[in-house]
Structure formats: C-alpha cells, structure tokens
Amino acid sequence: MDSNPKYVKVRFVSGPRMGTEVKLWDYAGMYPEAHPEEAMLVTYDPEEPSRALSRGWVEDPPANLPAFGTSALTLVCLSLTTAATIRRVRVLRFLARSRPRPLI
C-alpha cells in the first residue's frame, strides 16, 4: 500500500461471507494502515457486506478535521438557537408589560 491509497480491498477469510472481496469504506477520506496480505479485523453489515470498516476505527475513530468541524458547527448552531429563543422570550415579555391593559 502507498501512503495515500485510492481504496483498500479486503477478503473475508472466515464467517458466512468467506472468500468475498470488498473495498473497505473510508472514514473522512482516510484509510487504516494496511499492508498487502496482512490480516485485519473488520466490522461489516451482514445485509450489505460491502459496508466494511476496520474494527479499530469502529471502536475508536481517528481524530480528523471533518469530525471536529461538524462538532464545532453543531455547537455554534445550538448556541445561536438558544440565544435567539431567550431573546424572543425577553422581547415578548417586554411587549406584554408595556402594552396597556383594557379596562373592563
């Protein structure tokens, strides 16, 4: 394997899909360290064996910029939504207090 492979192909050597060759899924455009003819533990979807990922990456995904960017974007959206909700409640309370009440 080179340092930047286009894909990693694995062959299942045990289980019900023994002998099947599939391309390993990438994680954020990255592939695990792999060498030709080296054994690797993978986790795959039994319904669709082409969805295979290195077991180490399933249990502990590597840190990467897209994952951090998504987390940061989620926090920004959550905080802006919370701030807008609090502001809206304050504005509505202020308008309710400043509006004259009808005399009955």
Side-chain angles (χ1 to χ4, degrees):
M1 304 299 304
D2 57 6
S3 61
N4 191 9
K6 292 185 180 181
Y7 62 88
V8 175
K9 196 175 243 185
V10 294
R11 181 183 318 115
F12 298 132
V13 294
S14 65
R17 303 283 183 190
M18 190 166 137
T20 306
E21 284 190 10
V22 297
K23 290 181 183 176
L24 198 63
W25 275 34
D26 65 307
Y27 177 76
M30 300 182 316
Y31 289 100
E33 184 81 25
H35 302 286
E37 302 301 320
E38 181 181 85
M40 173 188 295
L41 292 175
V42 296
T43 301
Y44 68 93
D45 183 355
E47 307 263 330
E48 189 179 339
S50 64
R51 294 178 57 186
L53 189 62
S54 169
R55 181 167 295 168
W57 284 18
V58 170
E59 294 170 354
D60 185 25
N64 59 57
L65 186 59
F68 287 133
T70 303
S71 298
L73 185 61
T74 301
L75 289 174
V76 168
C77 289
L78 180 63
S79 60
L80 288 175
T81 302
T82 303
T85 302
I86 291 171
R87 174 143 172 78
R88 179 74 177 158
V89 167
R90 286 182 180 172
V91 166
L92 290 174
R93 283 185 184 164
F94 175 76
L95 290 175
R97 276 190 243 132
S98 64
R99 194 176 312 155
R101 299 181 185 233
L103 298 173
I104 298 179

